[in-house]
Amino acid sequence: MPYLGGEETVRELRRALSNPHIQTDHLRYRNTIHRVIRLMSQGVDVSGLFSEMVKACATGDIVQKKLVYVFLCSYASVNPELSLLVINTLRKDCSDPNPMVRSLALRNMCNLRLPGLCEYVEQPLTAGLKDKAACVRRVAVLGWAKIHALLPNTEIDAAVVNELYGLLRDPDPVVMVNCLRALEEILEEEGGVAINKPIAHHLLNRLKECDVWGQSEVLSVLQRYRPRSEDELFDILSLLDPALLSHHVPIMAATLRLFLSLCSMLPAVCVSALERARGPLLAAAGSSSRELRYAALCHIQLLLRSEPGLMGEHYKRFYCGYAEPPYIKQSKIQVLVELVNDDNVAVVLDELKGYCTDVNTETSQAAINAIGSIGRSYDDRCLGILTGLLELKQEHITSAVLQTLRDLVWVSPQYGDAVCSALEKWEDQLQDTQGRGALLWLLGVYGDRLSGAPYILEDFIDGVRSEVSAEVKTELLTATLRVFLSRPAETQDMMGRLLQHCIEEELDMCVRDQALLYYRLLHCGIEDVRRVLQCGRRSDLSLGPLIGRPPEPISQWASIFNTLEPLMLGASSLNMLSFPCTRVWFLKTLCLFVVIFQAYVMCPVPRCSPESLQVALQLVNIQTLAFTAPNKLPWKISILFLSRNQKMFGQKCILRIKINQQPEHPHCCKTNTHILITPC
C-alpha cells in the first residue's frame, strides 16, 4: 500500500479519476473524490490532480459538485490558467433549473478569487440579483461584495448599486441584511449606506423578521440615522423598546448602544434604558461562556462610570467562583469595588479577604489592591485586614500589602499611625522588587516613628552590592537620607557607606547621578536638604475627589459601547496599580534652561485623555497648569515644579512638555522633545 501522503498516492488517485470504469460508477467515482478532499484537508499537496478534478465538476450529482468546487477554490490560485476551464461549467450551472445548483455555482465563481475571471462573473451575478429563488439572491448580493474586495480600485457600476438599494426591500430578510453588509463595504469610502427616513423606518419595521446576526447588523447601521423631530425619536424608541429585554445578548447590546446614541441629549431616557438593560447584562455576566462573561463584565464597568448604583443591589452576583479563570475573577473584583456602600461594605470586605489567599498571585494582589481602594473611604476595617495579611508570611501577599499601604498613606496620611504599628516589628526578607521599594518608601517617610527603621535600612545597605534593581537602590538612597534628617546619629555611618558605594562603584548612571545629587545637596546644608525632601505635606488635599469619583456623562463612553474597546480597557486595567497613576520616569537630569527630556508615559487606557493625565499627575503631587484641547496631538502640558538646577535652585519653574503619541506600545507614549523651563 502506498504511503498516505506520498507521490505514489497522488499517482494512484490520478489513475482512478481517469479510469473510465470508475467514472461510469457514480458511487466509486464520488468515493475517489472523497479521498482527494480528505488528503487535501490533511495538508497533502494534491494540486497535481487539478485537471482531473475539473473534468469531475461536469456532473449532475450535487454532492460531487460541492466536493469538486471545494478542491477547485482551494487550488485555483496555484493553477490560474486551468481555472479558466471551470468557468464554462460554472456559467452553465448558473442557468440550471435547480436553485441550489445556481447558488452553488455563483458562490464558487466568486470564491475562485482570480482577478482575471471577474469579467466572466459579473453577468451571472447581475442576473442572480433578479433570480426568483431567495437563496440565489443571497449569494449574488454577497458576490458583489467579494468582487469589490478582490478589485478595490475598480468602481462598481451605479446600476448595480441602485439594484442593491432596491433589494433592501426584498421580502427575504437575509437578502435585506446581506444588501446592507455589501453596500457598507462597496460604499465604504462614501461613508457606507445612506440611511434616510424611509430606509430607517423600513429596517425598523422588519427588525423582528431577522435572525440574531441580522438584527445586530441592522441596529449597527441605524447608528448613523438621526430623527428629525422628537415625535419621530420616541416612535423609534417605542419600536426598539422590546429589544432591550432580548435574551440574545448581541441584540440587547446593539439596541442599548442605539438608545444611547439617539438619546445623547436626553440623560433621563438613557438612565431608564440602562435600568431596563440591567437584567440581561446580569444574565450575561453569569453566562456559562467565559468569553461572554468577561465581555459583559467589561461593559458593566462602563455603565458603573455613570451610574454607580445601577448594580448596587446585585453585588452578590459578582462574587467569584472557585473554578473561574483569573481574568474573570479580577474583573469581578473591580466591579465589587465600584459597588461598595455603607450597607454592604462589611460583607464585600469579608468576601475580598477570602480572595487575598487565592492560588493565583495576580488575583490575590488584585483583591489586596481592592481592599486598599475601599480603605480610602472605610479605613478602620480595611487597615485591620491588610495588617492581618502581613502575619501570613507569604511573600507575594506581603509585597502586595506593602504596596497597597504605601499608596493608601500617600493619598490619606492620617493612616500613618496604623501602618507604623504594623511595621514596628518588621523582620521579613522580601525578594520582590516592588515590595522592597514600597517598604523602603514607608521607612523613609515614617522613619522617625519606627524604632527599628535604621536597622532595617542597614540590612539593605549591607546587601547593596548584590542588589540588581536600580529602582530599589534609588529608593534606598532617598529613604536613608530622609531617616538621616530625623535620626542622624544612628544613620550617619551607614549613609556614608551607601553614598560611597553608589558614587564610586555603582554602574547604573541613574543611581550614581541621584547619589551625587544627594551628596552635593548635603554640602549645601541640612536645611536645604530638609526643604527639598520634606517640603510641605506628604499628600495633596486636592486628591479628595479621587476617593469618591464623580459620575461621568453617559455620552463620554456611549460611542465605544458594544465594541472591542471596553475589552481593551478591561485588559489594561487588570495590570494597573490600586489607583490609576500615570508613571513618569525622568531619564535626563534637568541641568540647563533648555534640556533634552525623554519620558515614558504609561497610560491607564490605550488612548488616555488629558483629564486622566491631569488626575494622575496630581496623584504624584505634580501640579498641572494648562492642557491643550482633548483629542489633539501633540498634547501640550504646562507643569509647575521646584527646580533642582544650581542656578535656579529652590525656584518654582514652569515645565512645558509636548507628548506625541506613537504606536510603539499599546499603552506607552514615548516622547523626545525639547522642554523650555522658565522661572515664575
Side-chain angles (χ1 to χ4, degrees), residues 144-207:
W144 282 108
K146 294 177 183 178
I147 294 295
H148 176 72
L150 191 61
L151 299 171
N153 297 325
T154 303
E155 191 171 340
I156 301 295
D157 190 5
V160 175
V161 175
N162 292 334
E163 187 70 26
L164 292 175
Y165 268 110
L167 285 175
L168 288 175
R169 297 188 177 275
D170 193 276
D172 185 70
V174 179
V175 175
M176 178 187 71
V177 175
N178 286 359
C179 279
L180 279 178
R181 188 66 264 163
L183 287 170
E184 282 286 287
E185 296 187 13
I186 293 172
L187 304 176
E188 183 179 5
E189 294 183 358
E190 303 175 15
V193 185
I195 303 295
N196 52 26
K197 183 176 179 180
I199 293 178
H201 285 260
H202 171 72
L203 295 175
L204 285 167
N205 289 326
R206 297 194 58 188
L207 191 63

Side-chain angles (χ1 to χ4, degrees), residues 234-245:
F234 283 101
D235 289 341
I236 292 175
L237 296 181
S238 299
L239 290 172
L240 294 174
D241 193 60
L244 274 178
L245 300 177

Side-chain angles (χ1 to χ4, degrees), residues 2-48:
Y3 173 61
L4 177 65
E7 296 181 0
E8 183 61 31
T9 303
V10 177
R11 284 195 292 268
E12 179 187 340
L13 288 172
R14 181 182 291 109
R15 288 192 295 268
L17 291 171
S18 303
N19 190 335
H21 297 290
I22 295 179
Q23 290 177 354
T24 55
D25 189 339
H26 295 295
L27 184 59
R28 290 180 64 189
Y29 197 39
R30 184 197 295 178
N31 289 337
T32 304
I33 295 174
H34 263 294
R35 289 182 58 195
V36 175
I37 301 300
R38 187 181 303 114
L39 289 175
M40 184 185 72
S41 64
Q42 293 171 353
V44 179
D45 183 12
V46 289
S47 58

Side-chain angles (χ1 to χ4, degrees), residues 625 640 651-654 678-680:
L625 300 180
L640 183 65
Q651 297 186 33
K652 291 184 178 180
C653 303
I654 297 176
T678 56
C680 295

Side-chain angles (χ1 to χ4, degrees), residues 185-307:
E185 296 187 13
I186 293 172
L187 304 176
E188 183 179 5
E189 294 183 358
E190 303 175 15
V193 185
I195 303 295
N196 52 26
K197 183 176 179 180
I199 293 178
H201 285 260
H202 171 72
L203 295 175
L204 285 167
N205 289 326
R206 297 194 58 188
L207 191 63
K208 294 181 180 179
E209 301 176 17
C210 304
D211 56 8
V212 175
W213 178 84
Q215 291 188 47
S216 301
E217 190 67 30
V218 170
L219 292 168
S220 176
V221 172
L222 288 173
Q223 292 282 336
R224 295 198 295 269
Y225 180 68
R226 288 294 174 267
R228 299 179 181 177
S229 65
E230 189 171 326
D231 292 338
E232 183 186 359
L233 170 63
F234 283 101
D235 289 341
I236 292 175
L237 296 181
S238 299
L239 290 172
L240 294 174
D241 193 60
L244 274 178
L245 300 177
S246 173
H247 61 280
H248 295 292
V249 180
I251 297 176
M252 180 276 299
T255 306
L256 181 56
R257 185 185 180 192
L258 182 56
F259 253 87
L260 300 179
S261 175
L262 293 174
C263 304
S264 57
M265 305 303 294
L266 301 172
V269 178
C270 291
V271 173
S272 177
L274 294 179
E275 292 176 352
R276 289 179 62 81
R278 174 173 49 198
L281 277 174
L282 287 171
S287 170
S288 58
S289 169
R290 294 179 175 182
E291 293 78 8
L292 184 57
R293 255 184 295 168
Y294 178 69
L297 289 169
C298 291
H299 282 78
I300 286 173
Q301 291 181 52
L302 277 184
L303 270 61
L304 294 178
R305 291 184 183 182
S306 301
E307 292 296 320

